[in-house]
């Protein structure tokens, strides 16, 4: 927002996030919901809406939804029901989507987000269960739209936020947090680019100080975290300019155009009554017993905020390092696995945050595809901590380990990088340097102690970096002060 409009107007934003759940089978049919297989190979008569087929609820759809409900501080309804949301679309053979309308399974929750310097609590209105539609494919055949029903009936949850967000940055932070939570819970892979996490943004503006909300538009089609932020920023500007030039915002659905970086009209907004919601007659109400709740609670992993604080207070990591390490569960797990093998949090964190992340970045891979195991990594760090190798040797060996399965100690030997901590090797070199540099020796003895660096440098050079610098320093000081 430009500064002038920012002073006069405030934005109000609420997000609707859809997450595809990582269950093995579909929401109401015993067929795989895996992604990426040949079109229409994962369909049953139910997915095709054949008459007489009946839906059967997937137990894990319920369990996973309770999981995120608990993780986002929601109330869990003892009884909730499914509803039919009726609309026509070619990739929806039944003519309705099974969803939850009046009674979502989770409601009244919140999550805390961090935006730059401040923290803020964002309300979660509801989380409900529903099913995905199939996919219409427009770019394979020049004359026809093709339909792939593999995705039809994939279990989804919809997470609806309260209109508590005020800036595009807050919306971005909220969405990242939701992704972090679903990834920690291992209920969704959180990939916006592939569509397993999708976000619609509701945006309105109001003059600062006004209590009532303005009319909102709903933005769709943003397939990355940055695009959500950009689309909201663009839409806020558009609404402000519209209102400032005497127009009024119309409630409508807009599409984000990634190429043009602008929002444009898709359709005027539908209302709930357009969908003719009614209770799903083929499914009984969902009942959540206290035993079910207890069981899910037992299965909840340590959540990111708790882990972050533990990394700071118990392991002594800096906040910045802890944030990076806990951002994804897999990386934090890798770190903790390493820590269980070698109790040196800072040394391990340092190597992961510099070298390991550099490689993940360069190769565009995730930590699960990284080839150096925590065992190998900690062995390398031990060599350094035991002064068997120096830092630059550690780096060289690390690079070599990416290509080789050999143990770090073997590589260190083979690459001739083992540090020599033997004074029988070091002393003659020091004696020689002292003999060759009488001026420096005299100045040192007169009090110019900074010259110690010069002597160490000379010895390291003579030994081709193999002398143990700690020992070198010790021996030089001893000899110079003799
Ligand atoms: P619908 O189902 O029609 O999209 P909901 O009432 O479920 O409508 O609201 C969807 C989202 O819109 C919620 O995240 C809510 O916080 C947000 N929202 C509601 N009113 C406004 C508003 N005036 N400005 C911005 N967001 C809003
Ligand atoms: Mg909506």
């Amino acid at each position: 927002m430009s500064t002038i409009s920012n002073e006069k107007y405030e934005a109000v934003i609420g997000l609707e996030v859809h997450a595809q759940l990582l269950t093995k089978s579909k929401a109401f049919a015993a067929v795989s919901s895996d992604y990426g297989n040949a079109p229409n190979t994962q369909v049953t008569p139910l997915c095709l809406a054949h008459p007489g087929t009946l839906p059967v609820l997937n137990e894990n759809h319920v369990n996973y939804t309770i999981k995120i409900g608990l993780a986002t501080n929601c109330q869990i309804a003892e009884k909730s029901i499914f509803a039919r949301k009726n609309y026509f679309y070619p990739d929806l053979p039944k003519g309705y989507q099974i969803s939850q309308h009046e009674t979502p399974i989770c409601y009244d929750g919140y999550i805390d987000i961090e935006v730059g310097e401040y923290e803020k609590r964002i309300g979660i209105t509801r989380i409900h269960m529903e099913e995905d539609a199939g996919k219409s494919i427009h770019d394979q055949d020049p004359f026809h739209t093709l339909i792939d029903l593999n995705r039809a009936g994939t279990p989804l949850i919809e997470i609806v936020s309260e209109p508590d967000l005020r800036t595009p940055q807050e919306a971005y932070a909220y969405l990242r947090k939701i992704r972090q939570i679903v990834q920690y819970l291992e209920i969704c892979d959180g990939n916006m680019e592939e569509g397993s996490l999708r976000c619609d943004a509701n945006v309105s503006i109001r003059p600062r100080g006004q209590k009532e909300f303005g009319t909102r538009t709903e933005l769709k089609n943003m397939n990355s975290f940055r695009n959500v932020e950009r689309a909201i920023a663009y839409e806020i500007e558009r609404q402000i300019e519209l209102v400032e030039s005497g127009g009024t915002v119309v409630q409508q659905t807009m599409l984000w155009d990634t190429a043009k970086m602008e929002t444009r009209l898709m359709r005027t907004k539908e209302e709930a009554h357009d969908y003719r919601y009614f209770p799903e007659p083929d499914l009984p109400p969902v009942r959540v017993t206290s035993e079910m709740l207890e069981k899910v609670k037992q299965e909840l992993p340590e959540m990111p905020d708790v882990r972050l604080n533990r990394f700071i207070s118990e392991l002594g990591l800096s906040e910045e390092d802890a944030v990076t390490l806990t951002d994804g569960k897999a990386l934090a797990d890798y770190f903790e696995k390493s820590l269980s093998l070698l109790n040196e949090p800072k040394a391990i964190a340092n190597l992961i945050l510099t070298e390991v992340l550099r490689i993940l970045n360069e190769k565009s891979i995730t930590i699960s595809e990284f080839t150096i195991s925590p065992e190998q990594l900690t062995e390398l760090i031990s060599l350094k901590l035991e002064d068997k190798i120096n830092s630059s040797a550690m780096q060289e060996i690390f690079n070599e380990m990416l290509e080789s399965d050999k143990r770090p100690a073997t590589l260190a030997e083979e690459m001739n990088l083992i540090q020599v901590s033997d004074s029988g090797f070091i002393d003659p070199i020091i004696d020689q340097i002292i003999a060759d540099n009488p001026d420096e020796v005299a100045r040192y003895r007169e009090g110019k102690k900074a010259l110690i660096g010069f002597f160490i440098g000379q010895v390291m050079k003579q030994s081709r970096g193999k002398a143990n610098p700690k020992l070198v320093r010790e021996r030089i000081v001893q000899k110079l002060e003799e």
Side-chain angles (χ1 to χ4, degrees):
M1 257 188 281
S2 65
T3 17
I4 300 170
S5 48
N6 192 22
E7 274 163 24
K8 195 162 161 196
Y9 294 96
E10 161 180 79
V12 172
I13 305 156
L15 298 188
E16 293 164 275
V17 177
H18 286 92
Q20 249 176 26
L21 299 181
L22 290 169
T23 54
K24 292 209 176 70
S25 55
K26 291 191 178 179
F28 306 108
V31 59
S32 165
S33 55
D34 270 1
Y35 174 81
N37 294 323
N40 298 308
T41 53
Q42 290 155 214
V43 287
T44 64
L46 184 101
C47 308
L48 297 168
H50 285 193
T53 52
L54 288 171
V56 178
L57 179 56
N58 181 335
E59 188 181 352
N60 274 338
H61 195 176
V62 179
N63 287 335
Y64 287 12
T65 312
I66 298 176
K67 252 188 198 179
I68 183 158
L70 293 174
T72 55
N73 310 291
C74 283
Q75 307 293 315
I76 312 293
E78 275 174 44
K79 178 186 169 188
S80 64
I81 62 164
F82 284 105
R84 288 189 181 179
K85 180 177 181 178
N86 299 281
Y87 65 94
F88 172 78
Y89 212 76
D91 57 25
L92 186 78
K94 296 202 300 292
Y96 59 85
Q97 177 193 30
I98 301 180
S99 181
Q100 294 194 302
H101 184 52
E102 271 156 25
T103 58
I105 182 166
C106 311
Y107 58 97
D108 275 356
Y110 65 84
I111 60 171
D112 293 324
I113 61 167
E114 297 81 38
V115 195
E117 293 299 294
Y118 65 94
E119 208 177 89
K120 187 170 170 180
R121 180 157 292 185
I122 306 299
I124 306 273
T125 316
R126 57 187 281 162
I127 303 176
H128 66 252
M129 298 182 277
E130 58 186 31
E131 58 173 341
D132 213 342
K135 230 182 215 163
S136 300
I137 300 162
H138 305 289
D139 57 3
Q140 301 269 313
D141 183 300
F143 305 108
H144 304 97
T145 290
L146 305 179
I147 307 283
D148 176 9
L149 293 175
N150 282 355
R151 200 180 68 179
T154 295
L156 290 183
I157 48 172
E158 178 172 341
I159 307 161
V160 182
S161 87
E162 287 290 296
D164 288 345
L165 301 157
R166 291 292 172 270
T167 65
Q169 293 73 33
E170 288 182 8
Y172 178 85
Y174 169 85
L175 197 55
R176 296 290 295 197
K177 194 70 180 249
I178 291 286
R179 179 174 81 150
Q180 193 186 34
I181 292 171
V182 296
Q183 286 183 339
Y184 263 73
L185 296 173
E186 293 173 345
I187 61 170
C188 167
D189 63 21
N191 191 328
M192 280 202 82
E193 286 75 14
E194 283 178 7
S196 54
L197 195 72
R198 289 168 244 156
C199 172
D200 300 339
N202 295 270
V203 179
S204 63
I205 56 161
R206 63 182 171 189
R208 281 188 186 277
Q210 178 182 304
K211 261 199 124 51
E212 302 79 50
F213 291 151
T215 303
R216 69 180 145 129
T217 57
E218 183 170 342
L219 312 181
K220 289 183 178 291
N221 200 40
M222 303 151 300
N223 56 359
S224 76
F225 291 91
R226 282 298 166 207
N227 279 338
V228 170
E229 190 179 5
R230 285 191 195 113
I232 293 173
Y234 179 92
E235 180 61 14
I236 293 169
E237 273 297 329
R238 189 192 69 85
Q239 291 187 13
I240 290 173
E241 271 166 33
L242 182 65
V243 170
E244 282 287 282
S245 62
T248 44
V249 176
V250 180
Q251 179 159 339
Q252 57 195 15
T253 302
M254 323 267 300
L255 278 187
W256 171 249
D257 186 326
T258 307
K260 293 194 182 134
M261 300 272 263
E262 63 183 34
T263 53
R264 61 185 155 79
L265 179 65
M266 178 182 166
R267 56 173 185 246
T268 55
K269 175 96 175 94
E270 68 289 340
E271 304 278 345
H273 62 248
D274 294 328
Y275 289 119
R276 298 287 186 271
Y277 280 102
F278 65 84
E280 167 61 61
D282 290 341
L283 285 165
V286 182
R287 295 192 184 270
V288 180
T289 61
S290 49
E291 292 80 54
M292 284 165 74
L293 265 187
E294 223 19 70
K295 189 163 172 281
V296 175
K297 261 183 209 162
Q298 299 298 323
E299 288 167 10
L300 283 184
E302 183 181 34
M303 294 311 290
D305 288 352
V306 179
R307 202 171 201 183
L308 173 74
N309 288 329
R310 182 166 61 79
F311 279 13
I312 296 170
S313 62
E314 285 177 27
L315 303 179
L317 300 184
S318 71
E319 174 161 4
E320 198 190 340
D321 290 355
V323 165
T324 313
L325 281 176
T326 54
D327 185 43
K329 180 170 186 290
L331 189 70
D333 286 347
Y334 183 94
F335 169 73
E336 293 219 70
K337 177 84 215 294
S338 305
L339 198 59
S340 72
L341 300 164
L342 175 72
N343 190 21
E344 292 284 351
K346 281 188 187 148
I348 295 170
N350 278 343
L351 194 62
I352 292 179
L353 292 168
T354 53
E355 297 306 304
V356 177
L357 288 188
R358 176 177 63 82
I359 298 297
L360 299 190
N361 233 346
E362 278 175 16
K363 298 194 171 177
S364 272
I365 55 172
T366 63
I367 188 72
S368 53
E369 300 160 283
F370 184 60
T371 52
I372 299 178
S373 67
E375 286 78 7
Q376 293 170 305
L377 193 87
T378 47
E379 218 178 298
L380 175 65
I381 295 171
S382 300
L383 292 178
K384 169 74 177 49
L385 294 175
E386 289 160 11
D387 272 333
K388 293 199 175 123
I389 56 171
N390 62 27
S391 335
S392 67
M394 178 160 83
Q395 174 130 18
E396 276 183 58
I397 299 168
F398 177 86
N399 288 335
E400 197 57 34
M401 285 164 72
L402 296 167
E403 316 294 334
S404 153
D405 306 328
K406 288 186 186 156
R407 298 184 52 179
T410 315
L411 287 173
E413 295 274 1
E414 285 181 7
M415 296 163 77
N416 201 15
L417 291 169
I418 297 284
Q419 260 183 181
V420 182
S421 299
D422 169 3
S423 51
F425 167 76
I426 293 169
D427 280 359
I429 301 177
I430 296 179
D431 292 340
Q432 188 63 45
I433 302 282
I434 287 180
D436 289 348
N437 297 281
D439 288 356
E440 281 76 10
V441 172
R443 279 163 57 211
Y444 179 91
R445 291 188 169 142
E446 278 157 23
K448 197 137 187 353
K449 301 287 184 213
L451 276 169
I452 188 74
F454 162 79
F455 290 108
I456 295 174
Q458 292 293 313
V459 177
M460 293 308 290
K461 203 166 140 196
Q462 277 288 319
S463 74
R464 298 220 187 92
K466 288 180 66 179
N468 173 351
K470 244 192 243 162
L471 186 65
V472 168
R473 171 183 287 268
E474 243 175 65
R475 301 295 295 156
I476 294 176
V477 171
Q478 209 171 20
K479 283 177 185 286
L480 288 172
E481 322 246 295
E482 253 165 21

